[in-house]
Amino acid sequence: MAVIGATESEGAVGRSVMENLLDGYEGDVVPINPNADKVLGLEAYDSITDVAGIDLAIVVVPPQIVNGVLEEAGEAGVRDVAVITAGFGESGSEGAAREQEMQEIAEKYDMNLVGPNCLGVISTPVGMNATFTTKSALEGSISFMSQSGAFISAVLDWSSDHNIGFKDVVSLGNKAVLDEGDFIEHWGDDSSTDVILGYLEDIENGREFIESARKVTQDTPIVVVKSGRTEAGASAASSHTGAIAGSERAYEAGLQQAGVIRAESVQELFDYASILEGQPLPDNDEIAIVTNAGGPGVMSTDAVGDSGLQMASFTDETLESLEESMPEEANIFNPVDVLGDAPADRYEQALDIVLEDPNVGSAIVVASPQSIDFRDLAEVIAEKQQEYGAPIAASLMGGETARNAKDIIDEVGVPTYFDPARGVKSLDALREYSEIKTTDYGVASDFDVDRERAREILERTKERETNKLGIEAMDLLDAYGIPTPDSAIVTDKQAAVEAAKEIEGNVVMKIVSPDILHKSDIGGVEVNVAVEEVASTYDDIISRARNYQPDANILGVQVQEMADLDAGTETIVGMNRDPQFGPLVMFGLGGIFVEVLEDATFRVAPVSEDEASDMIDEIDSAPLLRGARGRDPVDENGVIETIQRISQLVTDFPQILELDINPLVATPDGVEAVDIRATIDHEEL
Ligand code: ADP
Ligand code: MG
């Protein structure tokens, strides 16, 4: 290993890196520094080109000369480098240009480059600490990457106190070359890594990240905490979808689609890592709680309610055995209360019975230090965990007494927390991971659509001053096989009457203007218009629009067949482009109150049938679609297909920047899109 910029100067990064490497690294360390003969007793070389057989170069020279030494390293055949030096993309235009040049050099020599602007890398199996931190990592099977170097220093300091060990630790820095996706793929192939952890502030290439993570997560769990909830993009949006979307929704969808377990805090990140590393996966979603106190039992039960776990319902056999062996006052139903006077062996009896129950997938043992010795209890927990091989978490609720018992259950990877809710959440992460392992993401369907016709419709925007499309573009949906009601756009009232006569029953009339985005807001939509009223309604709509916006480009009035809103529900299907993840498809409860209700869910396109179907499950109003209050359930397949067809449309045409179908009226007999709005990047067409 070469340290380019190695030095003896007190306080210099080049010295800390050398000292850390010399403390434990199994291979040879070669200092490179033209101004020194020796560094910390080792012979120093003027240039990396003077040494052969370097596997990894750590670069700590000043930013102005980094690219020069990288060229030399490339020439010398070095393929792996970590650039610790800062002063690149994070620091203004000069730095950004340097980073660009760095990328070109890496490309030219096919270099794996970590950084720049990072803390370095650690790999414990070979004792390598190529960072400038004061603490290294304990050996373990978690591989950890972080976009914040300072956070790594903090984690290393803290983790050794908590007996958490690592296989590799990587400070990602500016991610000029290698990014989170590369490390995920690498660790996915690494048999010494059992859990992958990430602290990420952004994901640059969302779709690629999803693909990389999906390949890995069937075998190795990935847990990520994502910070920085910026709202880039959302403010400029003119669609409903755009207003609700925003990057947090994109990350939520993207990480879920990637099969990544998301931690909401740094504490959860390590809670989940520890339990994934230490415990087996549950056979089912049901959890048993065994406690010696009522209050903590209730807290645990509440935590189960907030999680994806279910309270286990015990078999009759279990209940009978508990009844026989527990004192009369004990509660034998879940949560099992073994009572405040319970010694460790009463816990043992209870655990033997519930862990034997086939309905129980996992268990949490909760104890307050009443008349129990925590060390005895810890022995019991460890023994039962080994005997039954079910995942267990503990909540030994105490201070010193709990800490004193911790080493016993640590031995078998059972975590303990003061707060039982943390234990339940950790077990829930195991459940989530077993679900991820068996997820079949499916492939997006390829519908037979009229792509050419869609292109022609989109190209109409070229002749206009605005890049917006309104209901005059309903035929775009037609081209992609999405059902729309009969309708005609007319430019005088006689034609309006004729059009209404063609349609059976009363009609809906709407202003058609790409400049008027929210038609009903200005009185531009009249529903349930009888034929006799059509002519006067035509005049009303036109004059209201003129009043509202005298210079609006009015294309006419649309006369549309009524959708059956009595039997149907207004939903919304939309798309907004996210800078990181690309096309983000939304499904939710539609109508004019979408932004108020915000009952919506998102997926990164292309969306598969399974994913589209999950989207319906995810919204709070799902029961409205499924026959609440005696109504007939709507045609869910129609909704699922529409989501997928929109996914195909926006994947086929990256020029569509945002799009709303609001409402897509879903009835028991099918779905109908009665309104559309889109923003088009016409320069790209
Ligand atoms: P905008 O969203 O621009 O106000 P819409 O075309 O979505 O205009 O119409 C507003 C509302 O009018 C819809 O949310 C729906 O409640 C009702 N509506 C529109 N078209 C129809 C239709 N064909 N059948 C029944 N109701 C409709
Ligand atoms: Mg609408």
Side-chain angles (χ1 to χ4, degrees), residues 508 510 517-520 525 527 560-563 565 570 591-592 662-663 674-675 677:
V508 181
K510 305 180 186 183
L517 290 174
H518 299 281
K519 300 178 287 298
S520 41
V525 177
V527 298
Q560 195 178 58
E561 190 187 353
M562 291 277 291
L565 281 184
E570 295 191 47
I592 50 177
N662 183 30
V674 306
D675 187 23
R677 160 183 323 147

Side-chain angles (χ1 to χ4, degrees), residues 228-294:
R229 294 160 192 239
T230 57
E231 285 303 319
S235 53
S238 61
S239 65
H240 295 290
T241 308
I244 300 174
S247 76
E248 174 50 27
R249 297 282 206 155
Y251 278 106
E252 197 180 306
L255 291 175
Q256 181 192 352
Q257 281 172 276
V260 165
I261 298 171
R262 183 148 186 204
E264 294 301 334
S265 65
V266 168
Q267 179 167 76
E268 279 183 11
L269 184 70
F270 286 96
D271 282 358
Y272 296 172
S274 308
I275 199 147
L276 283 160
E277 193 189 22
Q279 291 295 287
L281 296 180
D283 291 337
N284 64 53
D285 293 356
E286 296 190 24
I287 181 174
I289 300 168
V290 181
T291 177
N292 66 355

Side-chain angles (χ1 to χ4, degrees), residues 148 151 173 176 285 287 300 386 425 477 599 614 663:
S148 158
F151 180 53
D285 293 356
I287 181 174
S300 314
Q386 294 293 288
K425 271 199 145 186
L477 301 177
D599 183 14
D614 288 346

Side-chain angles (χ1 to χ4, degrees), residues 144-162:
F144 172 45
M145 60 184 159
S146 168
Q147 234 173 302
S148 158
F151 180 53
I152 293 185
S153 305
V155 164
L156 293 176
D157 200 56
W158 167 87
S159 61
S160 47
D161 274 5
H162 290 77

